[in-house]
Amino acid sequence: MPSRDDAAGRGAASPGTGSGPASGGGAASGGGAASGGPVDLNTATSAELDALPGIGPVTAGKIIASREERPFSAVDDLKTRKLVGTSVFAKLAGFVTVGGR
């Protein structure tokens, strides 16, 4: 099982992923970390979330499940909903947004 930090090394330049930016690079996704912009927690795909530092497929799934129950109103919701810890949140802060904020 890959570690959480393995996601950081799988950015857009990683060959052979098959479901990389080509599947989610449209305007509706709001860009994403691979294109240089922040990833919107309320619209990001599982692949976009998984590509973030410290986020793996399990946490990406938890983020998606949480936003389906109640959309995120702030990036801090990742901590208050206990989806990520303090150290992972610190890695993510510059890569995620909620509604462009």
Side-chain angles (χ1 to χ4, degrees), residues 57-67 72 83:
V58 172
T59 303
K62 289 179 182 179
I63 291 169
I64 290 170
S66 182
R67 78 176 183 213
F72 293 101
L83 298 169

Side-chain angles (χ1 to χ4, degrees), residues 2-82:
S3 73
R4 292 172 152 212
D5 292 334
D6 287 345
R10 286 185 278 164
S14 180
T17 60
S19 62
S23 66
S29 70
S35 65
V39 173
D40 190 320
L41 294 174
N42 287 322
T43 61
T45 65
S46 180
E48 288 172 324
L49 293 168
D50 188 20
L52 294 168
I55 301 295
V58 172
T59 303
K62 289 179 182 179
I63 291 169
I64 290 170
S66 182
R67 78 176 183 213
E68 288 172 353
E69 287 181 29
R70 182 180 45 173
F72 293 101
S73 59
V75 173
D76 284 349
D77 288 347
L78 287 172
K79 286 193 308 187
T80 58
R81 297 184 194 185
K82 299 183 183 193

